[in-house]
Amino acid sequence: MARAKLPRSPSEGKAGPGDTPAGAAAPEEPHGLSPLLPARGGGSVGSDVGQRLHVEDFSLDSSLSQVQVEFYVNENTFKERLKLFFIKNQRSSLRIRLFNFSLKLLTCLLYIVRVLLDNPDQGIGCWGCTKYNYTFNGSSSEFHWAPILWVERKMALWVIQVIVATISFLETMLIIYLSYKGNIWEQIFHVSFVLEMINTLPFIITVFWPPLRNLFIPVFLNCWLAKHALENMINDFHRAILRTQSAMFNQVLILFCTLLCLVFTGTCGIQHLERAGGNLNLLTSFYFCIVTFSTVGFGDVTPKIWPSQLLVVILICVTLVVLPLQFEELVYLWMERQKSGGNYSRHRARTEKHVVLCVSSLKIDLLMDFLNEFYAHPRLQQDYYVVILCPSEMDVQVRRVLQIPLWSQRVIYLQGSALKDQDLMRAKMDNGEACFILSSRNEVDRTAADHQTILRAWAVKDFAPNCPLYVQILKPENKFHVKFADHVVCEEECKYAMLALNCICPATSTLITLLVHTSRGQEGQESPEQWQRTYGRCSGNEVYHIRMGDSKFFREYEGKSFTYAAFHAHKKYGVCLIGLKREENKSILLNPGPRHILAASDTCFYINITKEENSAFIFKQEEKQKRRGLAGQALYEGPSRLPVHSIIASMGTVAMDLQNTDCRPSQGGSGGDGTKLTLPTENGSGSRRPSIAPVLELADSSALLPCDLLSDQSEDEVTPSDDEGLSVVEYVKGYPPNSPYIGSSPTLCHLLPVKAPFCCLRLDKGCKHNSYEDAKAYGFKNKLIIVSAETAGNGLYNFIVPLRAYYRSRRELNPIVLLLDNKPDHHFLEAICCFPMVYYMEGSVDNLDSLLQCGIIYADNLVVVDKESTMSAEEDYMADAKTIVNVQTMFRLFPSLSITTELTHPSNMRFMQFRAKDSYSLALSKLEKQERENGSNLAFMFRLPFAAGRVFSISMLDTLLYQSFVKDYMITITRLLLGLDTTPGSGYLCAMKVTEDDLWIRTYGRLFQKLCSSSAEIPIGIYRTECHVFSEPHDVRAQSQISVNMEDCEDTREAKGPWGTRAASGSGSTHGRHGGSADPVEHPLLRRKSLQWARKLSRKSTKQAGKAPVATDWITQQRLSLYRRSERQELSELVKNRMKHLGLPTTGYEDVANLTASDVMNRVNLGYLQDEMNDHHQNTLSYVLINPPPDTRLEPNDIVYLIRSDPLAHVASSSQSRKSSCSNKLSSCNPETRDETQL
């Protein structure tokens, strides 16, 4: 048809009587086409004609409009349809095999019926022939073959067997025909076909030849065909239900069927052959087979004739060949199943609760951390199982642990991948209560490890969208890929923020680690040392939550201010209220301030040894008397029911004066820092015993949290000190314009007005903007913070942000120097160029020249970050070897430097500041082993570097993710404490130092009241440093040594500034940073030390030494030994020579022999002070006390952790008149000595 139409196509192009001309049709034709097709120009006339012809063809000839094509016509044949029904179709073939299996079982059953009905004593012969009786003579070896060839078969039984045989024969021939593939002999000589012919064809022959109806036919051999049919049926069944993990089940079934067939064949064969011999029945034959196959062989039943004896021999040989092969296959599959872990059954998943742990490689430390933390909660021990899904084979150590009865009943290991639905189905992920996906932090390529974690999270979310996800991510830039997860912990974000806070709040890493570990506070309770018992008891404090209306702790404070409830709950119950969450708001607020009024629907978050539901309330006798009104107490010793104004009136002038202690000048001559507690006086005299203002039930808007929170930070831009030679750079507050990755929380920070050029960020090289080439040339007023890292990853951004947050005073900002092995890229420099006093330098921490060039002698803190390239080592726990040795070298070269080190493995912290002959470290090692044997999750907590916050491992924070399964708020609270998130109205973590002038407060409970009443700050713990006493002589020596160092160097260093220059002396030098002078090693926020107190300590130790002649002699010996320390001299000379070689001034470097009193106290605060004259002993230690009891005595140099309320929480709601009144208040106070919470 198409060929006939082709010649007509030229004439069809001409215009007809009613047709449109061809040339005019071109521009109109696109209107009839799809709007997506381009309009054709004049050059496409041929194609237009072709398209028009195509349309006309379809319109003229309907036969060409559509051609129906049938596919798979080969399956429409009769043979293909039969093959589809009998073989290909899973369900129909399963039914056919089930029918075939039933037929074979029926034939075996009919054989047994025939044997039971057969009686050889009635005669033996063919059908219709004369029957004869044959007897066996036991003394002769001859026997008759007739009892073996002929049997007695009833007519009805014969008919049934013939019908069954005919059906089986026809089915077999049909299957042979359908499965024929060209080789007929292969199918004919197949064992199953031969057996089928032996058992069916003789019955069909007996239909045509009646005398053979009594012929013996070995129908019992159909048991092997039944076994074969059962195997095929099970395979089809598994294929129909898509069950793939059935190899073990199949093999066990095959082995069982093989044993059954061997026993049945032997029983029936021996019974029939012994018809010509001992005439055994079926039960006796079965007994003989079992005794023979079990190799027992009693000998009471034996075959009498040689055919039966031959059959026994054949069966034994077959058994010796077949069964070992079957057992070998079974053992192999069992071992493979042990490696892969098998399945978690659907029945268990529906009746029990389980969580799934997905990891790429499972190490013993990771497993034990997870199990100890997860099962630390009693509720989880009873109800939950842990299913581990890991693609790698189970480690030997992991296998040993999982064989322990404690874990073998709770933990199931499955070898598989989270990216395979079959493995997720094995783990029953859709029925899981939670799925933990952990990254492999020991990988060299941490980005690749994150990519694997992301794919696992996507796969689990796709397979089980309702299963809660708990994901651990290493790199912060990959976090937004898994933001759909219920809980996400970014390792580098938390790590760098924690290390940054360690520089301004000592031991923040230890504080957070103890908070996120589950403990009962029983560690160290059997220790003979008091600090270990106290430290261990306070380590049991954790964060809990409760609805206020259901709480006995906080229910009575409904309608009261937050600070009122926090103080009285701590005083009455010993719990520390740190935050809350409104019912209508999902945001958690830490210390929302005194203006926040508690409601019954609020969720309270508090720190305590245990949660309230597990606490019993035992009232003391005086509390009972107070409740009965039998004894008068002090007016504000407990929660008062009197009106606030009545309480203030009864307190007199002292209470009224204390309302304005925030603007009162300090009395001790110490620095006027915002964390300094002033001692109250009356009328300018200190004759009256100091008292503390009460905590108000409702906030006094005119007096509480004054003006400095509502005004701008003008105190930072007041007249610069006289010794400032450089011009003051005006900083602005704002949000960083460039975030290095997606998902970083915006934080209000101190920023430069104009971004610094990239060339100015290089510390050790000058540029056209400045010519500074070392840290001293910059003339920084505060000590440096140096960070040593391998690369400038995006996580390093979170180290800078907390140190430049808006609530840090401008004068408290420390310069930050990034010591990087590799040059940072432009994206990272673009992100940090807006921050003030942030520099970088290329170098390594193991290079002394790099350390000196970056200004380590002017640094207060050095943070050594674990390098990615060294996280994996051939030998486990050797990944930290280089870091530990480098830090030990720096500790020797710069003993007064505070060094915070990150390690890969927490167990390696025992090598930090290692001393081979330190008996006390040996004692701590024994204590650690004892605590580990007792099942403690914090066995490493008594190691001095960890207790002092000098060492940290990110693996310690893995428990944060595990604990969030029970406490879903823990990640949010931790991020708020670390400054990673800034929720409006939520407070932040900071610290203050307790000086000698603050000891009038006496106890931690009174300090709690002082802070709540004056600045609305919530203390949560103490960082304590104390002198440790080994024995009495060592204590005297330690005190004498401190005395010698201070007396020798006090006068020479008293008037020096932080960079070795002369500073103005007099009373003005005691005002800290605001007074324009700074102590050489003091941190502006935490290290406000009183030099007078150091002198008093020096004189006190001198007096004690004077009382003992032995101590005086010891002082003389120590003075002489100062010049005999060749090792110290060599180290000092080495550093000075390198500084001279680099052209650096050596005035800033001080050897350990030249430590001043302030240096000594600085090292005491950092937990570093050791007896440098005797390397065998250490005389100071530092540790963290979380939520100590109210009666805990304060000690000098205690550093208190505070949660300070948000300075900007109520600025927007403040009126203009309130601002003006606060400004008047501010002008009446000395801006340099105010007791305040600085913005």
Side-chain angles (χ1 to χ4, degrees), residues 33 106 132 226 234 300 449 535 555 589 605 683 699 718 728 768 798 819 839 890 977 986 1031 1210 1226 1230:
L33 301 178
L106 180 60
Y132 299 95
I234 294 297
D300 52 345
Y535 173 51
R555 183 170 50 195
L589 304 179
F605 300 95
N683 299 327
V718 294
V728 179
K768 62 180 180 180
N798 295 284
L819 184 60
Y839 307 93
M890 287 187 292
L977 289 174
S986 177
S1031 59
H1210 305 281
L1226 178 61
N1230 186 355

Side-chain angles (χ1 to χ4, degrees), residues 564-577:
Y564 180 88
F567 165 66
H568 286 287
H570 182 267
K571 181 177 181 181
K572 187 174 183 179
Y573 301 105
V575 300
C576 181
L577 179 64

Side-chain angles (χ1 to χ4, degrees), residues 175-245:
I175 296 298
I176 290 295
Y177 167 71
L178 294 178
S179 59
Y180 172 69
K181 296 180 180 180
N183 190 352
I184 187 64
W185 298 108
E186 180 182 357
Q187 295 178 337
I188 291 178
F189 290 106
H190 198 272
V191 177
S192 61
F193 181 80
V194 173
L195 289 178
E196 195 72 48
M197 294 298 102
I198 292 175
N199 293 321
T200 57
L201 196 58
F203 281 107
I204 298 175
I205 295 176
T206 58
V207 176
F208 305 101
W209 195 356
L212 297 180
R213 293 178 182 177
N214 283 347
L215 180 67
F216 169 74
I217 301 174
V219 183
F220 59 85
L221 294 179
N222 275 330
C223 66
W224 296 98
L225 296 178
K227 169 181 171 292
H228 181 67
L230 180 62
E231 293 177 10
N232 295 332
M233 183 178 65
I234 294 297
N235 291 332
D236 286 342
F237 177 73
H238 288 169
R239 186 177 59 172
I241 63 175
L242 299 178
R243 181 179 175 183
T244 57
Q245 301 297 326

Side-chain angles (χ1 to χ4, degrees), residues 357 359 362 367 386-390 402 411-415:
L357 175 64
V359 291
L362 186 63
L367 176 64
V386 174
V387 178
I388 302 174
L389 186 61
C390 180
L402 295 185
V411 183
I412 302 170
Y413 187 92
L414 303 180
Q415 183 177 355

Side-chain angles (χ1 to χ4, degrees), residues 328-573:
E328 180 185 7
E329 187 69 20
L330 182 63
V331 171
Y332 173 77
L333 290 176
W334 176 258
M335 294 177 63
E336 291 296 322
R337 182 175 180 175
Q338 287 296 98
K339 294 179 181 180
S340 62
N343 296 326
Y344 185 71
S345 65
R346 178 68 64 179
H347 174 72
R348 292 186 62 181
R350 291 175 178 175
T351 57
E352 302 167 351
K353 297 179 180 179
H354 75 284
V355 299
V356 182
L357 175 64
C358 296
V359 291
S360 58
S361 61
L362 186 63
K363 299 296 183 181
I364 185 63
D365 294 337
L366 176 65
L367 176 64
M368 294 312 300
D369 287 343
F370 178 83
L371 295 180
N372 290 332
E373 182 61 35
F374 185 79
Y375 284 114
H377 303 275
R379 179 172 63 89
L380 302 183
Q381 293 181 3
Q382 305 285 337
D383 304 334
Y384 284 82
Y385 290 82
V386 174
V387 178
I388 302 174
L389 186 61
C390 180
S392 60
E393 187 177 344
M394 191 186 308
D395 187 51
V396 177
Q397 294 180 340
V398 174
R399 188 184 302 276
R400 292 174 183 173
V401 169
L402 295 185
Q403 290 176 351
I404 300 175
L406 177 63
W407 307 121
S408 61
Q409 303 299 324
R410 301 179 183 178
V411 183
I412 302 170
Y413 187 92
L414 303 180
Q415 183 177 355
S417 173
L419 271 65
K420 295 182 179 179
D421 288 350
Q422 296 90 341
D423 294 332
L424 295 178
M425 188 180 300
R426 289 169 55 205
K428 302 302 179 291
M429 185 69 74
D430 50 342
N431 294 105
E433 298 294 323
C435 176
F436 295 88
I437 303 179
L438 305 183
S439 297
S440 178
R441 65 168 53 91
N442 294 331
E443 295 289 339
V444 177
D445 190 354
R446 295 165 67 86
T447 302
D450 270 352
H451 294 168
Q452 298 175 11
T453 301
I454 293 170
L455 287 183
R456 291 191 182 98
W458 290 353
V460 173
K461 196 64 177 179
D462 177 71
F463 181 84
N466 297 325
C467 181
L469 275 179
Y470 297 77
V471 182
Q472 180 191 65
I473 286 292
L474 302 180
K475 296 283 189 178
E477 58 267 22
N478 298 321
K479 188 176 62 173
F480 80 101
H481 291 293
V482 291
K483 62 180 181 180
F484 58 85
D486 299 82
H487 300 277
V488 180
V489 173
C490 182
E491 178 180 293
E492 288 194 1
E493 274 189 342
C494 297
K495 174 180 72 175
Y496 281 108
M498 190 174 299
L499 294 175
L501 284 183
N502 252 21
C503 299
I504 55 177
C505 299
T508 302
S509 58
T510 302
L511 172 70
I512 299 298
T513 302
L514 295 179
L515 278 179
V516 300
H517 273 78
T518 301
S519 172
R520 301 175 63 91
Q522 298 177 351
E523 287 82 2
Q525 298 308 302
E526 299 179 358
S527 174
E529 300 192 27
Q530 177 63 33
W531 80 271
Q532 293 176 354
R533 294 193 298 269
T534 306
Y535 173 51
R537 177 66 177 171
C538 292
S539 69
N541 284 277
E542 300 175 40
V543 180
Y544 300 98
H545 77 292
I546 193 171
R547 186 177 179 272
M548 184 181 176
D550 304 331
S551 172
K552 295 181 180 179
F553 287 157
F554 313 109
R555 183 170 50 195
E556 58 185 300
Y557 308 118
E558 181 180 355
K560 307 294 192 303
S561 65
F562 179 86
T563 51
Y564 180 88
F567 165 66
H568 286 287
H570 182 267
K571 181 177 181 181
K572 187 174 183 179
Y573 301 105

Side-chain angles (χ1 to χ4, degrees), residues 42 170 509 520 599 798 954 969 1172 1209:
L170 294 178
S509 58
R520 301 175 63 91
N798 295 284
I954 191 60
Y969 49 84
E1172 302 293 347

Side-chain angles (χ1 to χ4, degrees), residues 36-55:
L36 298 179
L37 295 177
R40 295 180 175 88
S44 58
V45 174
S47 60
D48 293 341
V49 172
Q51 184 175 356
R52 187 167 58 253
L53 291 176
H54 185 69
V55 174

